[in-house]
Amino acid sequence: MLLSRHSEKLNIFKAISDLLCISLSWIFAFIIRFNTDLLKVIEDKESLINYLRLWPLLIFSYLFIFISTHVYSRNIEKKKIWDENFEIIKKHTIAFFIFVTLSYFLYQHRFSRLTLLIFFIILPFVFPIGRSFVRKFNRIYLKYNKRKKQAIIIGNGPQVLKIKEAISFRSDWNLELISCHSFTEVDVVSKILKRNDISIVFVIPSAEETAHVNEIYEHLDKNLSEILLIPYLGERIFFEPKSIKIEGILTIALNSSSLHNTGRFAKRFFDIIFSLAFLLFFSPIYLMCIFLVKISSAGPVFFKQERMGLDGKMFYCYKFRGMYVDAEEKSGPVWAKENDNRTTPIGKWLRKTSLDEIPQFINVLMGDMSVVGPRPERPVFVENFKTQIPGYMLRHKVKAGITGWAQINGWRGNTSLEKRIECDLWYIQNWSMWLDLKIVFLTPFKGLIHPNAY
């Protein structure tokens, strides 16, 4: 694929850079340990030659992990520098422990554990430096490289503007957009292909043009230009489409979340540990809330209400009771509002400080909820919202949460539902363990107390 050829060349330089970083860090770790007074715990005399004997095994361990985990695979998707560095650090950790294990069994000489530790710590700081030099070299090369490949766009699909912007912005594609045409301009396209050395043709049909894609392909297959089809998937796509193969058949998933098996396990593990720690650490506040609710009004301490969770399944969500018993007997199921006379004095304070949500950590331990996720809603409201707000039901692709991306961005209580759903869908699409940790960290500062929490 033409778009990925430059990436393939760039990966060679990345691999060379990584090998240099590993080698230099190994030597540097030896120097810090034995040739400086910084970490001389005891007077050790060690030869660098002994440590250089480990170099082939060191390089093998890292190359094996980096290649087998597709660090250098061809990929035209542009990664953020932080994400790239984080991926490298994860692979570095695995490769390091493989290297240490193999060296223990293959070499009789016992190497300094402090040297190994120094190497393990400094390499994650050296990797980004090497990668930055590669990026700098790439920018200089593309700046002075005048031989751009030519491309044209055929079609009036909704993604045309994005492709135009991508060609202009992505200098690493090394593309120049010659012209854009509709499906009715087939003859014009044929002439352009004959006169010019067109490397790539983007076919981006609209809804009306989709039925004529095969006709366009019949005209294009007489040329050597690479054809990239961006199919029409509708005007309103909430999640980024993902291509998968089912029995060799190319399939496009339109509403698949980024949370899969490994992620689910990591998220569940975090939920259990965090919930147990929270309930244990804040048990005095938990007991205080029980006491305050009990003396504030007659009725049970806990209040349970049916909510909709993962995959539309119902569960009972627990809270400290903040309203009088049978509060909805006259009003029916309605949202709480400011100065709501159904709320007890203690209940108003609990809701304002979000302390009424503490029992939901029990829901987390039971597996009905997660610490982070879209807030669960009552089925009666879901029935209304799913017809009013496009994409509303997609928020049930993950477990409901105690806190979430919408909450730390100020969309909680009596605020815009559309903005809240927008945040929920963004969270589902962009989920990562780091995002969960970020949300948990920011919740005490941005999501705990809110003027619209009634």
Side-chain angles (χ1 to χ4, degrees), residues 16-52:
I16 294 171
S17 168
D18 291 343
L19 294 180
L20 284 173
C21 289
I22 293 166
S23 303
L24 291 174
S25 297
W26 184 242
I27 295 170
F28 193 45
F30 174 86
I31 293 171
I32 292 175
R33 173 64 182 89
F34 295 105
N35 289 29
T36 66
D37 295 327
L38 197 62
L39 293 172
K40 271 195 175 181
V41 181
I42 56 173
E43 284 294 329
D44 283 339
K45 289 186 178 180
E46 188 62 89
S47 170
L48 178 60
I49 300 298
N50 288 330
Y51 280 78
L52 290 179

Side-chain angles (χ1 to χ4, degrees), residues 178-204:
I178 299 300
S179 56
C180 298
H181 307 273
S182 66
F183 271 37
T184 58
E185 299 176 291
V186 176
D187 294 334
V188 177
V189 170
S190 297
K191 290 177 182 177
I192 291 173
L193 291 175
K194 287 178 181 178
R195 290 198 311 263
N196 299 277
D197 182 20
I198 303 298
S199 300
I200 297 178
V201 178
F202 291 95
V203 180
I204 313 175

Side-chain angles (χ1 to χ4, degrees), residues 104-143:
Y104 180 81
F105 289 105
L106 296 177
Y107 290 85
Q108 291 183 346
H109 185 84
R110 288 294 163 254
F111 299 92
S112 165
R113 284 173 290 183
L114 189 55
T115 306
L116 294 172
L117 180 61
I118 295 168
F119 170 76
F120 179 73
I121 292 171
I122 65 173
L123 187 53
F125 295 97
V126 179
F127 270 138
I129 297 172
R131 291 288 180 114
S132 67
F133 277 111
V134 174
R135 284 191 293 272
K136 183 68 175 176
F137 170 78
N138 184 49
R139 282 195 294 269
I140 295 171
Y141 168 76
L142 292 171
K143 182 179 179 180

Side-chain angles (χ1 to χ4, degrees), residues 360-371:
Q360 287 168 31
F361 282 102
I362 297 171
N363 284 115
V364 175
L365 292 174
M366 292 169 64
D368 296 323
M369 292 178 65
S370 179
V371 174

Side-chain angles (χ1 to χ4, degrees), residues 12 14 39 56 79 141 172 201 209-210 280 313 316 352 362 370 373 406-407 410 417 438:
I12 295 173
K14 286 181 179 178
L39 293 172
K79 285 186 178 181
Y141 168 76
D172 56 316
V201 178
E209 293 170 332
T210 297
L280 183 65
K313 294 178 182 177
Y316 283 105
K352 186 66 71 176
I362 297 171
S370 179
Q407 283 64 47
L417 263 175
K438 177 181 178 179

Side-chain angles (χ1 to χ4, degrees), residues 73-89:
S73 63
R74 62 179 192 174
N75 190 355
I76 62 173
E77 187 70 31
K78 193 168 187 177
K79 285 186 178 181
K80 294 179 181 177
I81 293 174
W82 167 256
D83 291 335
E84 182 184 66
N85 290 337
F86 179 65
E87 283 298 316
I88 288 291
I89 290 170

